[in-house]
């Protein structure tokens, strides 16, 4: 009789059932040793950068096919590094390296400085070689030299050291992180409790120290992008140490005068300032030499570099705590480089740079070429998309002309409230008005949104195609909806009265309503400006910011997958916890909203005259059509959910403002009116409580009579449902 096989032996013979991975620290070592960034790993595996950071920090593990692909990549890297160590061979870059591709095109005086406020143009002025970068090299090869000195370091005592935030493993070149907060005694506080000794006594010496010794900066987010410039934040005492005034006397330009001693010191030392001068955010640079970029950012706290609307009271934190806050934002989003709006726009470009290095067969060297899927050059808007000040509008209409709906695209967020005469008897016996707010509504709208990448093409009598981004002149006034709902076609919620210009998402939703509700109407555009070259340009931007938002909410005790009751309880006090994550969360929200708004930046300054071009127009990312598509999608998403509640549960809002909707309820909680299925799940297609972008949270509750009074007085209850005007800001 055969003996029974040993079950343990059987398990061992079957081999490992789960793909084995190196330890987290080894994963980071292999990546940096091979010269890859976390963003490049993330792109190859179709995950987010913060996900890769989690794998390398040991906070999470990849699963399934992703795990197998990650293991294959790491094993391949390990094999190549081992082979290189056994048989070292000199590796020579092309004589015309990609980093220097455009160096000859950069004259002594930066041509790109004509566009102040334009990050891309300014970067070219600083010798960014059109955002191209060198082929991947191991970290050791990228070092600036074996004799490069390092800044003296010390670590804060355990009692002073803030809790480390999640972050990518350090690049060998940027071991001290992306930034430092400098105090008046020469202590430069970096992340994780690290303190560097900075001996500089003037701004040029500070710049030299930052580039030569501080080891500050951050690796590029895209293989064709560039590394982030190091940031040094100056506290009040540090600003005084360098001879800077406590406040800027020129409140109009917000910059030091050209004859200030600090500006003269910078010029005398051979450094330059960008066109925005020496203000709250400063860029100090030298033109590129030998393909090497030399640039340092400064943020001056006493001059309001950290706007309280985005960063709350972060500028009141102690230097070590502020370094932790800014470092966390930098690791999850991008190194701060100006206002939150500027950071939002810069993140788009960093994730989808306009150009890349391509081989030039004629010269045998390298040149710049476009990156597929990116915005590669500035384009004029279609006339309906252009704001009133734009030269395109000035060329078509006389000065002072007020454009009508059939001449201008008006895609804005909702600001609507119901006529109090339309309140039903059933609604008037409710006790409360309850507001619900969509988490980062504009960010959710950007997810998988197809937008135009190139110039608009004018078409007459077109056939509408929901897959083609653009704007369409069409009459949607024949689509009748319940008057207790806002019209989805106008920001004010009143039905349109005739032909008007609409972005593709709005017209597509009109076609959807006609189809699903059996309406007697047709979509017949008479004119359109379409963009045949299109793609999901904002997808990487969405992924980074959505992950950053959720990770920061988790820091505040609000995680994904929570029961609805638990979620509401956690949200009640999440902003009363650690002020650091609260500041990061506020900045992330401002980055979303500001970045979308910056796509249609208007002219600024008292000297501007309508009809003249302004500096922002020189950016490839000045794209009012993309802004319109995002806002249109957010408004349509909101309306679709409201229609679902009206159809399935006879629930109608009394007010909507941007991403906040107010409903009347028997109880004070969203759970008292939001419908659920028979098994207790949220109504499919309706509003769903949760932390992810596109889900909703409790915005505020007031009593019924308060809401009725607001309606009677012609005020929007959604604007004040919190007891403040917070809802007006949106997200």
């Amino acid at each position: 009789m055969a003996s029974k096989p040993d079950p343990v032996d059987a398990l061992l013979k079957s081999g490992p059932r789960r793909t084995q991975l190196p330890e987290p620290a080894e994963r980071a070592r292999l990546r940096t040793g091979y010269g890859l960034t976390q963003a490049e790993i993330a792109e190859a595996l179709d995950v987010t950068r913060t996900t890769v950071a989690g794998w390398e920090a040991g906070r999470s593990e990849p699963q399934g096919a992703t795990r197998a692909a990650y293991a294959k990549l790491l094993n391949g890297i390990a094999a190549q590094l081992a082979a290189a160590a056994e048989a070292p061979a000199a590796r020579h870059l092309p004589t015309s390296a990609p980093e220097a591709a455009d160096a000859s095109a950069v004259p002594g005086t930066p041509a790109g400085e004509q566009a102040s406020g334009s990050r891309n143009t300014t970067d070219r002025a600083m010798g960014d070689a059109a955002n191209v970068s060198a082929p991947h090299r191991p970290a050791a090869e990228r070092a600036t030299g074996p004799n490069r000195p390092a800044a003296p370091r010390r670590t804060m005592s355990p009692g002073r050291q803030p809790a480390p935030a999640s972050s990518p493993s350090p690049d060998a070149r940027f071991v001290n992180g992306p930034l430092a907060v400098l105090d008046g005694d020469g202590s430069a506080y970096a992340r994780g409790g690290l303190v560097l000794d900075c001996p500089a006594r003037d701004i040029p010496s500070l710049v030299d120290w930052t580039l030569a010794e501080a080891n500050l900066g951050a690796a590029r987010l895209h293989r064709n992008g560039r590394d982030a410039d190091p940031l040094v934040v100056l506290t009040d005492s540090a600003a005084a140490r360098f001879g800077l005034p406590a406040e800027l006397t020129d409140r109009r330009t917000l910059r030091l005068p050209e004859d200030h001693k600090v500006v003269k010191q910078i010029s005398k030392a051979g450094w330059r300032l960008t066109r925005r001068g020496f203000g709250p955010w400063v860029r100090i640079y030298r033109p590129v030499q030998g393909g090497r970029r030399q640039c340092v950012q400064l943020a001056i706290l006493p001059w309001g570099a950290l706007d309280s609307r985005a960063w709350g009271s972060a500028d009141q934190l102690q230097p070590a705590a502020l370094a932790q806050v800014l470092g966390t934002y930098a690791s999850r989003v991008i190194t701060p480089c100006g206002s939150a709006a500027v950071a939002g726009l810069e993140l788009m470009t960093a994730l989808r740079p306009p150009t890349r290095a391509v081989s030039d067969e004629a010269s045998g060297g390298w040149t710049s070429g476009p990156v597929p899927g990116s915005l590669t050059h500035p384009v004029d808007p279609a006339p309906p998309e252009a704001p009133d000040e734009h030269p395109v509008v000035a060329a078509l209409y006389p000065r002072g002309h007020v454009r009508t709906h059939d001449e201008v695209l008006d895609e804005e967020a909702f600001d609507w409230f119901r006529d109090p005469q339309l309140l039903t008897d059933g609604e008037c016996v409710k006790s409360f008005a309850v507001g619900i707010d969509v988490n980062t509504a504009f960010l959710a709208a950007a997810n998988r949104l197809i937008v135009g990448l190139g110039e608009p093409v004018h078409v007459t009598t077109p056939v509408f195609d929901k897959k083609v981004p653009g704007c369409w002149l069409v009459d949607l006034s024949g689509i009748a909806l319940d008057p207790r709902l806002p019209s989805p076609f106008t920001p004010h919620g009143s039905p349109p009265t005739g032909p008007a210009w609409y972005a593709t998402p709005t017209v597509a939703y009109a076609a959807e309503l006609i189809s699903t509700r059996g309406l007697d109407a047709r979509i017949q555009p008479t004119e359109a400006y379409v963009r045949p070259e299109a793609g999901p340009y904002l997808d990487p931007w969405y992924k980074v910011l959505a992950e950053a938002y959720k990770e920061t909410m988790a820091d505040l005790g609000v995680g994904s997958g929570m029961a609805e009751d638990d979620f509401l309880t956690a949200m009640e006090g999440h902003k009363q916890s650690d002020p650091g994550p609260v500041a990061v969360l506020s900045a992330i929200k401002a980055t979303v909203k500001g970045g979308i708004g910056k796509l249609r930046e208007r002219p600024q300054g008292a000297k501007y005259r309508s009809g003249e071009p302004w500096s922002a127009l020189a950016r490839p990312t000045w794209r009012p059509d993309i802004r319109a598509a995002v806002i249109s999608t957010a408004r349509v998403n909101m309306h679709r959910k409201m229609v679902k509640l009206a159809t399935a549960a006879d629930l109608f809002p009394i007010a909507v403002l941007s991403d906040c909707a107010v409903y009347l309820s028997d109880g004070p909680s969203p759970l008292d009116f939001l419908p659920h299925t028979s098994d207790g799940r949220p109504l499919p297609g309706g509003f769903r409580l949760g932390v992810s972008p596109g889900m909703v949270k409790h915005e505020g509750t007031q009593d019924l009579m308060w809401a009725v009074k607001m309606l009677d007085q012609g005020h929007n209850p959604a604007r004040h449902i919190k007891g403040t005007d917070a809802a007006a800001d949106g997200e």
Side-chain angles (χ1 to χ4, degrees), residues 316-343:
Q316 303 302 312
L317 295 172
Q318 292 299 312
L322 179 58
Q324 198 69 11
V325 166
L326 296 177
T328 300
Y329 177 89
S331 68
R332 293 178 182 174
V333 183
I334 194 170
T335 302
C337 50
S339 67
V342 169

Side-chain angles (χ1 to χ4, degrees), residues 179 229 231 281 283 297 306 311 326-327 329-330 334-338 343:
L179 54 88
D229 298 320
L231 169 65
W281 287 89
R283 284 186 177 276
Q297 295 185 99
L306 297 182
W311 291 96
L326 296 177
Y329 177 89
I334 194 170
T335 302
C337 50

Side-chain angles (χ1 to χ4, degrees), residues 89 146 379:
V379 298

Side-chain angles (χ1 to χ4, degrees), residues 547-560:
E547 192 72 18
Y549 177 80
K550 290 187 290 185
E551 193 169 351
T552 306
M553 289 295 289
D555 290 345
L556 294 168
V558 186
S560 301

Side-chain angles (χ1 to χ4, degrees), residues 52 125 157 226 484:
V52 176
S157 62
R226 61 168 181 76
R484 291 174 291 175

Side-chain angles (χ1 to χ4, degrees), residues 416-441:
W416 168 89
F417 54 92
R418 204 195 304 176
D419 183 340
Q421 300 299 319
L422 294 178
L423 293 176
T424 65
D425 292 342
E427 289 174 324
C428 289
V429 299
K430 303 291 184 182
S431 300
F432 299 97
V434 182
I436 52 175
D437 180 82
V438 180
N439 301 325
T440 56

